[in-house]
Every structure is written in C-alpha cells, then in structure tokens.
Amino acid sequence: MARPTVNIIEANGALGRVAPSADGISAIIVSGVAVGGKFALDDVLGPFLSPQDAANMGIDAAYDTTNTCLANKHISDFYAYAGFGTQLYVMVVAKTVAIDDLTDKTENYAKKLLVAGGGAIKLLGITRVPDGGYSPTFANQFDADLWTAATNAKALIADEFAAYRPVSIILEGSDFQGTASSTKDLRDVAGLLANRVSIMIGADNTISTTVAQAAKYAAVGIALGKLAGIPVQRNAGRVKDGDLGILNAGFSNEAAYNTLSDTDLDTLHNHGYMFFLQYAGKAGFFFNDDPTASPITDDYSSISRGRTMDKAARITRTVFLEELNDDIELDPVSGQLAPATIKHYQGAVETEINRQMTANQEIVRVKAFCEPNQNVLSTDKIAISLTILPKGMAKDIEATLAFENPLA
C-alpha cells in the first residue's frame, strides 16, 4: 500500500476563456498622419492583436494628441470590447479624405483594405476626423457625405460579396445636428436599402466633452469591438452581456443621453441608428440594437442576421470548392444525379455548417436540398439550395401582471 497522501488534480477550462474567433476579424479606417520609418498613409497595417501593436507602429495616445486625431482611441476601444488577440487591420488616411471616398470601391481605401485581408475581414469600421478647414454641408441632420458614403458602402459590399469576401460595415455618424425627427429614416422601404451597412451615432461623452477632436465623434471603435467579441447570431444590445462600462454616454453632438426625450430616442431607434441606451432601473449603458440601414421587413435588418448568413455563405463556398471539377456519379438509367451523389452534396454542406454553427448554437438547423432532376451532362452545373433556421431574438417582451384573490 502506498503512503497516505493528498492528490491534487489541476482542472482547466473553468474560467471560460476562449480563443478569439475568426468571425471577429475586423478592420478600421482612421484619420491621422504617417509615421516615418513605420508606415505611410493608406498602408494596410496589421493585423494587430492588441493596442500595443498599434503603439509599436507609433499609434499611441500621444499620437492622437499630437495629431489631433482619434486613431489610438478607436483602436483601444476596439480591444477593450473585442479582447486582446482579436485580429484588427488598420488603415490611416489623411484628414482631408472625405468619408464617401473612403467607401468608394473605385478608390484605394476600404477596397484596398478588404482585398488585402483576402476575405478574412468580416467587420469594417469607417471613421473620420476632418481637417480644420473642412466645412460640412448638412442633410437630414448629418454631413451629406455620410449618405453618399452609405450608398458607396452598399455598392462596395455587393462587390465584395461577389468576390466571396462578405463584410458588414459600420459608418461613423459624426456631427449629429440634434433634431431626431429630421434624421433620415434608414428603415424607409424607399431609402438606402443597405442591409450590411450600419450607422453609429452614440458617443462616450467623457471623451467627447474633454478631447477637442472628439467633440463630434461617434464611438465606432466600441461598436466594432463589441461585435467582434460576440458570436455572429448575437445582438450587440444583449443585456445579459452586461453594461458597456460607459459612465457618460451621449451622441455625436456632445449631447448627453438624458438630454434627449423618450420620443426622440424612440425616433432615432425606429429610424435605424445605433447608439447607447439606458434602461430604467438598470445601471449602465447598452447598445439599443444592432440595426442595418434597411427596412425592418428585410431579412437582414439586423447586423446579427447578416453576419449569420455571411458565415453560412463562407462555409458553403469552402465545402463546395473541394468539389469543383470532380467526377459526378449519374444514375445509369436516367442519366441524372445518382442518389448517392445527391446524398453526398447535401450531407457535406450540412455536416460542416452544423459543425461550425449549429454546434455553437449560432443557428437552430440547416437543411440542404439537391434537385435530382438536373441535366448535368448538358450544363456541367449542380444546383443546391440551403435553408437556415436562425436563432430567435427577444427584442420585445410583453408580460401581463394582475392581482389574484383566492377567495373571489
């Protein structure tokens, strides 16, 4: 018999730490200046894994102060919510570059960044601190360039999807003029119809009221980081995630949250803007929702819905890339697809989507259907359709309360 002893077994995994997901790989465009020996304007930097990587390139807190910009601020905000280890590509552009040029697919800004990412970038934030001489022209309570930028972003996203690089874009809705009722209705069925574009208008007023160049900023870094740090199907405004840790939230005109009426807040929400929200009886600030610039009837009126489908699209393409130019077994009588072939195609994609998404509780189920009556000999083409059952989302909860009298 062995000597009496106490055995210690070291357990692992109780902290719930997880490796950063590829779904959170992001990019951001920020205003600034080049740093000699480090980078030139319009270079694709990264991917960074922490704010220190940015600091090593010269983009630290002092960089923002010296150059009156918010590059380090947005990057630091991103990592505060996405977590260290999350990949972030960065492009620094001149303050003179307008936001609509940044999203223009014919210009070498957002397009260049996404191409350099090779399809890895799932989320892109677009920010700008204009040069001192810039004089905006306002339309619908924001710089008119914002609406052109949103239209350009929509075209860019379509271009990227066609190139098998699906992406969602968060635009900085800076310099809000303060009248909610006059804002553009992003949910209008005759409006932008940009279901992978979102406009962030919330600000951390602790910064916007103390840092001159942040006076009209919107916290795109926080929005981008929050999205990068959660599963694709999750709403950025999920209350169970806890509050955002912002003590003094407001809007991109330095207005504090509590200076807007409930009617104004409802209007901004119903018009499809993304901002910080406070709930009565609950401490802290949360995102109001994860809206896109599209009608509420659009299947992708939420960022989470778009991210979910984009992930499924990437997986589907990866699965079927392996099948390109392969031999296809046909039924010896009909000449159409053999049952085993149909089963293979359906099973291959269902298995992989289930492994990467259903098992992670990002969707409820996937079903694939391959039509057997296809004349592959004439077309060299196989058509297959997939349907995804997404997770539900509790955006409204209605509870009925009443007294009970047991003696009545």
Side-chain angles (χ1 to χ4, degrees), residues 303-354:
I303 298 171
S304 47
R305 288 282 193 256
R307 293 184 72 198
T308 298
M309 189 57 75
D310 286 349
K311 181 172 182 176
R314 292 187 197 95
I315 295 170
T316 299
R317 180 173 185 267
T318 299
V319 168
F320 289 130
L321 272 177
E322 296 298 317
E323 305 295 336
L324 284 181
N325 290 325
D326 196 8
D327 300 335
I328 299 173
E329 294 300 325
L330 302 178
D331 184 278
V333 177
S334 67
Q336 296 171 342
L337 293 176
T341 302
I342 294 171
K343 185 176 181 180
H344 168 70
Y345 277 100
Q346 292 177 167
V349 70
E350 285 182 353
T351 296
E352 195 57 25
I353 291 178
N354 280 328

Short mmCIF file of all heavy atoms in Angstrom, two decimals, residues 303-354:
data_model
loop_
_atom_site.label_atom_id
_atom_site.label_comp_id
_atom_site.label_asym_id
_atom_site.label_seq_id
_atom_site.Cartn_x
_atom_site.Cartn_y
_atom_site.Cartn_z
N ILE A 303 -27.68 43.45 -37.84
CA ILE A 303 -26.30 43.03 -38.14
C ILE A 303 -26.13 41.55 -37.88
O ILE A 303 -25.49 40.82 -38.65
CB ILE A 303 -25.29 43.83 -37.29
CG1 ILE A 303 -25.37 45.33 -37.61
CG2 ILE A 303 -23.87 43.33 -37.52
CD1 ILE A 303 -24.56 46.20 -36.67
N SER A 304 -26.72 41.06 -36.80
CA SER A 304 -26.58 39.66 -36.42
C SER A 304 -27.14 38.71 -37.48
O SER A 304 -26.58 37.64 -37.73
CB SER A 304 -27.24 39.40 -35.07
OG SER A 304 -28.53 39.96 -35.01
N ARG A 305 -28.24 39.10 -38.11
CA ARG A 305 -28.80 38.26 -39.17
C ARG A 305 -27.85 38.21 -40.37
O ARG A 305 -27.62 37.16 -40.98
CB ARG A 305 -30.15 38.80 -39.59
CG ARG A 305 -31.26 38.58 -38.57
CD ARG A 305 -31.77 37.15 -38.61
NE ARG A 305 -33.01 37.04 -37.84
CZ ARG A 305 -33.12 36.50 -36.63
NH1 ARG A 305 -32.05 36.02 -36.04
NH2 ARG A 305 -34.29 36.42 -36.03
N GLY A 306 -27.31 39.36 -40.74
CA GLY A 306 -26.38 39.41 -41.86
C GLY A 306 -25.11 38.62 -41.59
O GLY A 306 -24.61 37.89 -42.45
N ARG A 307 -24.57 38.77 -40.37
CA ARG A 307 -23.35 38.04 -40.02
C ARG A 307 -23.58 36.53 -40.04
O ARG A 307 -22.71 35.76 -40.46
CB ARG A 307 -22.85 38.46 -38.64
CG ARG A 307 -22.35 39.89 -38.53
CD ARG A 307 -21.79 40.16 -37.14
NE ARG A 307 -20.53 39.49 -36.94
CZ ARG A 307 -19.99 39.25 -35.74
NH1 ARG A 307 -20.64 39.60 -34.64
NH2 ARG A 307 -18.83 38.64 -35.64
N THR A 308 -24.76 36.12 -39.58
CA THR A 308 -25.08 34.69 -39.57
C THR A 308 -25.11 34.12 -40.98
O THR A 308 -24.51 33.08 -41.27
CB THR A 308 -26.44 34.46 -38.89
OG1 THR A 308 -26.36 34.89 -37.53
CG2 THR A 308 -26.83 32.99 -38.91
N MET A 309 -25.81 34.81 -41.87
CA MET A 309 -25.89 34.32 -43.24
C MET A 309 -24.55 34.40 -43.96
O MET A 309 -24.20 33.51 -44.74
CB MET A 309 -26.95 35.12 -44.01
CG MET A 309 -27.27 34.54 -45.38
SD MET A 309 -27.81 32.80 -45.33
CE MET A 309 -29.47 32.98 -44.70
N ASP A 310 -23.77 35.45 -43.69
CA ASP A 310 -22.46 35.57 -44.33
C ASP A 310 -21.54 34.43 -43.90
O ASP A 310 -20.76 33.92 -44.70
CB ASP A 310 -21.83 36.92 -43.99
CG ASP A 310 -22.48 38.07 -44.76
OD1 ASP A 310 -23.26 37.80 -45.69
OD2 ASP A 310 -22.21 39.24 -44.42
N LYS A 311 -21.63 34.04 -42.63
CA LYS A 311 -20.81 32.92 -42.17
C LYS A 311 -21.22 31.64 -42.87
O LYS A 311 -20.37 30.85 -43.32
CB LYS A 311 -20.90 32.76 -40.65
CG LYS A 311 -20.05 31.61 -40.12
CD LYS A 311 -19.99 31.57 -38.60
CE LYS A 311 -19.09 30.44 -38.13
NZ LYS A 311 -18.93 30.42 -36.67
N ALA A 312 -22.53 31.41 -42.99
CA ALA A 312 -23.02 30.23 -43.69
C ALA A 312 -22.57 30.23 -45.15
O ALA A 312 -22.21 29.19 -45.71
CB ALA A 312 -24.53 30.16 -43.60
N ALA A 313 -22.55 31.41 -45.76
CA ALA A 313 -22.12 31.53 -47.16
C ALA A 313 -20.64 31.17 -47.31
O ALA A 313 -20.26 30.48 -48.27
CB ALA A 313 -22.37 32.94 -47.66
N ARG A 314 -19.82 31.62 -46.37
CA ARG A 314 -18.39 31.29 -46.44
C ARG A 314 -18.17 29.80 -46.29
O ARG A 314 -17.35 29.20 -47.01
CB ARG A 314 -17.62 32.03 -45.33
CG ARG A 314 -17.56 33.53 -45.52
CD ARG A 314 -16.63 34.15 -44.48
NE ARG A 314 -16.85 35.58 -44.37
CZ ARG A 314 -17.65 36.17 -43.49
NH1 ARG A 314 -18.29 35.44 -42.60
NH2 ARG A 314 -17.80 37.47 -43.49
N ILE A 315 -18.87 29.20 -45.34
CA ILE A 315 -18.71 27.76 -45.11
C ILE A 315 -19.16 26.98 -46.35
O ILE A 315 -18.48 26.04 -46.79
CB ILE A 315 -19.51 27.31 -43.88
CG1 ILE A 315 -18.95 27.96 -42.61
CG2 ILE A 315 -19.48 25.78 -43.74
CD1 ILE A 315 -19.83 27.77 -41.39
N THR A 316 -20.29 27.37 -46.92
CA THR A 316 -20.83 26.68 -48.09
C THR A 316 -19.83 26.73 -49.25
O THR A 316 -19.58 25.72 -49.91
CB THR A 316 -22.16 27.32 -48.52
OG1 THR A 316 -23.10 27.20 -47.44
CG2 THR A 316 -22.73 26.63 -49.75
N ARG A 317 -19.26 27.90 -49.47
CA ARG A 317 -18.30 28.01 -50.57
C ARG A 317 -17.07 27.15 -50.31
O ARG A 317 -16.57 26.47 -51.22
CB ARG A 317 -17.88 29.47 -50.75
CG ARG A 317 -16.87 29.66 -51.89
CD ARG A 317 -16.58 31.11 -52.19
NE ARG A 317 -15.72 31.22 -53.36
CZ ARG A 317 -14.39 31.29 -53.31
NH1 ARG A 317 -13.77 31.24 -52.13
NH2 ARG A 317 -13.68 31.40 -54.42
N THR A 318 -16.58 27.15 -49.09
CA THR A 318 -15.40 26.34 -48.76
C THR A 318 -15.66 24.86 -49.00
O THR A 318 -14.81 24.14 -49.54
CB THR A 318 -14.99 26.57 -47.29
OG1 THR A 318 -14.67 27.95 -47.10
CG2 THR A 318 -13.79 25.72 -46.93
N VAL A 319 -16.85 24.40 -48.61
CA VAL A 319 -17.21 22.99 -48.81
C VAL A 319 -17.22 22.64 -50.29
O VAL A 319 -16.63 21.64 -50.72
CB VAL A 319 -18.59 22.69 -48.19
CG1 VAL A 319 -19.11 21.33 -48.64
CG2 VAL A 319 -18.51 22.74 -46.67
N PHE A 320 -17.88 23.47 -51.09
CA PHE A 320 -18.05 23.11 -52.49
C PHE A 320 -16.85 23.44 -53.36
O PHE A 320 -16.76 22.94 -54.50
CB PHE A 320 -19.33 23.75 -53.04
CG PHE A 320 -20.58 23.11 -52.48
CD1 PHE A 320 -21.59 23.87 -51.93
CD2 PHE A 320 -20.71 21.73 -52.47
CE1 PHE A 320 -22.72 23.28 -51.40
CE2 PHE A 320 -21.84 21.12 -51.95
CZ PHE A 320 -22.85 21.89 -51.41
N LEU A 321 -15.92 24.23 -52.85
CA LEU A 321 -14.66 24.41 -53.59
C LEU A 321 -13.96 23.07 -53.77
O LEU A 321 -13.30 22.81 -54.79
CB LEU A 321 -13.74 25.38 -52.84
CG LEU A 321 -13.90 26.87 -53.14
CD1 LEU A 321 -12.97 27.69 -52.25
CD2 LEU A 321 -13.63 27.17 -54.61
N GLU A 322 -14.09 22.21 -52.76
CA GLU A 322 -13.45 20.89 -52.83
C GLU A 322 -14.08 19.99 -53.88
O GLU A 322 -13.50 18.98 -54.27
CB GLU A 322 -13.54 20.20 -51.46
CG GLU A 322 -12.79 20.92 -50.35
CD GLU A 322 -11.30 21.01 -50.63
OE1 GLU A 322 -10.73 19.99 -51.09
OE2 GLU A 322 -10.72 22.08 -50.41
N GLU A 323 -15.27 20.35 -54.34
CA GLU A 323 -15.99 19.51 -55.30
C GLU A 323 -15.82 19.97 -56.74
O GLU A 323 -16.25 19.28 -57.67
CB GLU A 323 -17.49 19.52 -54.96
CG GLU A 323 -17.83 19.11 -53.54
CD GLU A 323 -17.47 17.66 -53.24
OE1 GLU A 323 -17.40 16.85 -54.20
OE2 GLU A 323 -17.25 17.34 -52.05
N LEU A 324 -15.18 21.13 -56.95
CA LEU A 324 -15.05 21.66 -58.30
C LEU A 324 -14.27 20.71 -59.21
O LEU A 324 -13.21 20.17 -58.83
CB LEU A 324 -14.36 23.02 -58.28
CG LEU A 324 -15.20 24.21 -57.81
CD1 LEU A 324 -14.38 25.49 -57.88
CD2 LEU A 324 -16.47 24.36 -58.64
N ASN A 325 -14.79 20.51 -60.43
CA ASN A 325 -14.15 19.68 -61.46
C ASN A 325 -14.00 18.22 -61.06
O ASN A 325 -13.21 17.48 -61.67
CB ASN A 325 -12.78 20.25 -61.87
CG ASN A 325 -12.90 21.55 -62.63
OD1 ASN A 325 -13.84 21.74 -63.41
ND2 ASN A 325 -11.96 22.46 -62.41
N ASP A 326 -14.74 17.79 -60.05
CA ASP A 326 -14.69 16.39 -59.64
C ASP A 326 -15.62 15.56 -60.53
O ASP A 326 -16.53 16.08 -61.17
CB ASP A 326 -15.11 16.26 -58.18
CG ASP A 326 -14.71 14.92 -57.58
OD1 ASP A 326 -13.98 14.16 -58.25
OD2 ASP A 326 -15.15 14.62 -56.45
N ASP A 327 -15.38 14.24 -60.55
CA ASP A 327 -16.28 13.32 -61.24
C ASP A 327 -17.63 13.31 -60.54
O ASP A 327 -17.71 13.46 -59.31
CB ASP A 327 -15.72 11.90 -61.23
CG ASP A 327 -14.37 11.80 -61.92
OD1 ASP A 327 -14.09 12.65 -62.78
OD2 ASP A 327 -13.60 10.89 -61.58
N ILE A 328 -18.69 13.13 -61.30
CA ILE A 328 -20.04 13.08 -60.74
C ILE A 328 -20.69 11.76 -61.16
O ILE A 328 -20.77 11.44 -62.35
CB ILE A 328 -20.90 14.25 -61.24
CG1 ILE A 328 -20.29 15.58 -60.82
CG2 ILE A 328 -22.33 14.13 -60.71
CD1 ILE A 328 -21.00 16.77 -61.40
N GLU A 329 -21.12 11.00 -60.18
CA GLU A 329 -21.82 9.75 -60.47
C GLU A 329 -23.26 10.06 -60.90
O GLU A 329 -23.96 10.84 -60.25
CB GLU A 329 -21.84 8.87 -59.22
CG GLU A 329 -20.46 8.36 -58.80
CD GLU A 329 -19.80 7.52 -59.88
OE1 GLU A 329 -20.53 6.79 -60.60
OE2 GLU A 329 -18.56 7.61 -60.03
N LEU A 330 -23.68 9.45 -62.01
CA LEU A 330 -25.03 9.63 -62.52
C LEU A 330 -25.81 8.32 -62.44
O LEU A 330 -25.23 7.23 -62.41
CB LEU A 330 -24.98 10.11 -63.97
CG LEU A 330 -24.23 11.42 -64.23
CD1 LEU A 330 -24.24 11.74 -65.73
CD2 LEU A 330 -24.84 12.56 -63.44
N ASP A 331 -27.12 8.45 -62.43
CA ASP A 331 -27.97 7.28 -62.44
C ASP A 331 -27.84 6.59 -63.79
O ASP A 331 -27.97 7.24 -64.84
CB ASP A 331 -29.43 7.70 -62.21
CG ASP A 331 -30.35 6.51 -62.10
OD1 ASP A 331 -30.74 5.99 -63.16
OD2 ASP A 331 -30.68 6.12 -60.97
N PRO A 332 -27.54 5.30 -63.84
CA PRO A 332 -27.29 4.62 -65.12
C PRO A 332 -28.51 4.54 -66.03
O PRO A 332 -28.36 4.33 -67.25
CB PRO A 332 -26.86 3.21 -64.68
CG PRO A 332 -27.41 3.04 -63.31
CD PRO A 332 -27.39 4.40 -62.69
N VAL A 333 -29.69 4.74 -65.49
CA VAL A 333 -30.91 4.67 -66.31
C VAL A 333 -31.32 6.06 -66.79
O VAL A 333 -31.49 6.30 -67.99
CB VAL A 333 -32.06 4.01 -65.52
CG1 VAL A 333 -33.34 4.01 -66.36
CG2 VAL A 333 -31.70 2.60 -65.11
N SER A 334 -31.46 7.01 -65.84
CA SER A 334 -31.97 8.33 -66.18
C SER A 334 -30.89 9.30 -66.66
O SER A 334 -31.17 10.28 -67.35
CB SER A 334 -32.69 8.95 -64.99
OG SER A 334 -31.75 9.23 -63.95
N GLY A 335 -29.66 9.03 -66.30
CA GLY A 335 -28.58 9.96 -66.64
C GLY A 335 -28.55 11.18 -65.74
O GLY A 335 -27.73 12.08 -65.95
N GLN A 336 -29.44 11.21 -64.77
CA GLN A 336 -29.47 12.32 -63.83
C GLN A 336 -28.63 11.99 -62.61
O GLN A 336 -27.98 10.94 -62.55
CB GLN A 336 -30.93 12.62 -63.45
CG GLN A 336 -31.75 13.09 -64.63
CD GLN A 336 -33.24 13.16 -64.31
OE1 GLN A 336 -33.70 12.56 -63.35
NE2 GLN A 336 -33.98 13.88 -65.14
N LEU A 337 -28.60 12.90 -61.64
CA LEU A 337 -27.75 12.69 -60.47
C LEU A 337 -28.12 11.40 -59.76
O LEU A 337 -29.30 11.12 -59.50
CB LEU A 337 -27.89 13.86 -59.50
CG LEU A 337 -27.35 15.21 -59.96
CD1 LEU A 337 -27.67 16.27 -58.91
CD2 LEU A 337 -25.85 15.14 -60.19
N ALA A 338 -27.11 10.65 -59.41
CA ALA A 338 -27.34 9.41 -58.66
C ALA A 338 -27.72 9.74 -57.23
O ALA A 338 -27.27 10.76 -56.68
CB ALA A 338 -26.08 8.56 -58.68
N PRO A 339 -28.57 8.93 -56.59
CA PRO A 339 -28.96 9.18 -55.20
C PRO A 339 -27.76 9.36 -54.28
O PRO A 339 -27.78 10.20 -53.38
CB PRO A 339 -29.78 7.94 -54.84
CG PRO A 339 -30.35 7.49 -56.15
CD PRO A 339 -29.29 7.77 -57.17
N ALA A 340 -26.70 8.58 -54.50
CA ALA A 340 -25.52 8.70 -53.64
C ALA A 340 -24.84 10.06 -53.82
O ALA A 340 -24.30 10.63 -52.87
CB ALA A 340 -24.54 7.57 -53.95
N THR A 341 -24.88 10.57 -55.04
CA THR A 341 -24.30 11.89 -55.31
C THR A 341 -25.08 12.99 -54.60
O THR A 341 -24.50 13.88 -53.98
CB THR A 341 -24.28 12.17 -56.83
OG1 THR A 341 -23.55 11.14 -57.49
CG2 THR A 341 -23.65 13.52 -57.12
N ILE A 342 -26.38 12.88 -54.69
CA ILE A 342 -27.24 13.85 -54.01
C ILE A 342 -26.99 13.83 -52.51
O ILE A 342 -26.83 14.88 -51.86
CB ILE A 342 -28.72 13.56 -54.32
CG1 ILE A 342 -29.01 13.80 -55.79
CG2 ILE A 342 -29.64 14.42 -53.44
CD1 ILE A 342 -30.38 13.34 -56.24
N LYS A 343 -26.94 12.64 -51.97
CA LYS A 343 -26.72 12.49 -50.54
C LYS A 343 -25.36 13.07 -50.13
O LYS A 343 -25.22 13.71 -49.07
CB LYS A 343 -26.79 11.01 -50.15
CG LYS A 343 -26.68 10.76 -48.66
CD LYS A 343 -26.86 9.27 -48.35
CE LYS A 343 -26.76 9.02 -46.83
NZ LYS A 343 -26.94 7.59 -46.51
N HIS A 344 -24.36 12.88 -50.97
CA HIS A 344 -23.02 13.40 -50.67
C HIS A 344 -23.01 14.92 -50.61
O HIS A 344 -22.49 15.51 -49.65
CB HIS A 344 -22.03 12.92 -51.73
CG HIS A 344 -20.71 13.63 -51.67
ND1 HIS A 344 -19.81 13.45 -50.65
CD2 HIS A 344 -20.17 14.57 -52.50
CE1 HIS A 344 -18.76 14.22 -50.84
NE2 HIS A 344 -18.95 14.90 -51.96
N TYR A 345 -23.60 15.55 -51.63
CA TYR A 345 -23.60 17.02 -51.67
C TYR A 345 -24.38 17.59 -50.49
O TYR A 345 -23.94 18.54 -49.83
CB TYR A 345 -24.18 17.51 -52.98
CG TYR A 345 -23.16 17.53 -54.10
CD1 TYR A 345 -23.14 16.51 -55.05
CD2 TYR A 345 -22.23 18.55 -54.22
CE1 TYR A 345 -22.21 16.52 -56.08
CE2 TYR A 345 -21.30 18.57 -55.23
CZ TYR A 345 -21.29 17.55 -56.16
OH TYR A 345 -20.35 17.55 -57.17
N GLN A 346 -25.55 17.05 -50.25
CA GLN A 346 -26.37 17.55 -49.15
C GLN A 346 -25.68 17.33 -47.81
O GLN A 346 -25.63 18.21 -46.95
CB GLN A 346 -27.75 16.87 -49.16
CG GLN A 346 -28.60 17.25 -50.34
CD GLN A 346 -29.93 16.51 -50.40
OE1 GLN A 346 -30.82 16.88 -51.15
NE2 GLN A 346 -30.07 15.46 -49.62
N GLY A 347 -25.14 16.14 -47.63
CA GLY A 347 -24.51 15.80 -46.35
C GLY A 347 -23.26 16.59 -46.08
O GLY A 347 -23.00 16.99 -44.94
N ALA A 348 -22.46 16.85 -47.12
CA ALA A 348 -21.19 17.54 -46.93
C ALA A 348 -21.40 18.94 -46.37
O ALA A 348 -20.75 19.36 -45.41
CB ALA A 348 -20.42 17.60 -48.24
N VAL A 349 -22.34 19.69 -46.98
CA VAL A 349 -22.54 21.07 -46.53
C VAL A 349 -23.30 21.13 -45.21
O VAL A 349 -23.00 21.96 -44.35
CB VAL A 349 -23.24 21.90 -47.64
CG1 VAL A 349 -24.69 21.49 -47.82
CG2 VAL A 349 -23.12 23.38 -47.34
N GLU A 350 -24.27 20.24 -45.02
CA GLU A 350 -24.99 20.23 -43.76
C GLU A 350 -24.06 19.88 -42.59
O GLU A 350 -24.12 20.50 -41.53
CB GLU A 350 -26.14 19.22 -43.81
CG GLU A 350 -27.34 19.68 -44.62
CD GLU A 350 -28.46 18.66 -44.60
OE1 GLU A 350 -28.25 17.54 -44.06
OE2 GLU A 350 -29.55 18.96 -45.13
N THR A 351 -23.21 18.91 -42.82
CA THR A 351 -22.28 18.49 -41.76
C THR A 351 -21.37 19.63 -41.33
O THR A 351 -21.16 19.87 -40.14
CB THR A 351 -21.43 17.30 -42.24
OG1 THR A 351 -22.28 16.18 -42.49
CG2 THR A 351 -20.39 16.91 -41.19
N GLU A 352 -20.84 20.35 -42.31
CA GLU A 352 -19.88 21.41 -41.98
C GLU A 352 -20.56 22.61 -41.33
O GLU A 352 -20.03 23.19 -40.37
CB GLU A 352 -19.11 21.84 -43.22
CG GLU A 352 -17.88 22.67 -42.93
CD GLU A 352 -16.88 21.98 -42.01
OE1 GLU A 352 -16.86 20.73 -41.96
OE2 GLU A 352 -16.11 22.70 -41.33
N ILE A 353 -21.73 22.99 -41.83
CA ILE A 353 -22.45 24.10 -41.19
C ILE A 353 -22.91 23.71 -39.80
O ILE A 353 -22.83 24.51 -38.85
CB ILE A 353 -23.64 24.55 -42.06
CG1 ILE A 353 -23.11 25.23 -43.34
CG2 ILE A 353 -24.55 25.52 -41.30
CD1 ILE A 353 -24.20 25.68 -44.29
N ASN A 354 -23.35 22.47 -39.65
CA ASN A 354 -23.72 22.01 -38.30
C ASN A 354 -22.52 22.02 -37.36
O ASN A 354 -22.64 22.41 -36.19
CB ASN A 354 -24.31 20.60 -38.37
CG ASN A 354 -25.76 20.59 -38.80
OD1 ASN A 354 -26.51 21.51 -38.50
ND2 ASN A 354 -26.17 19.55 -39.51
#
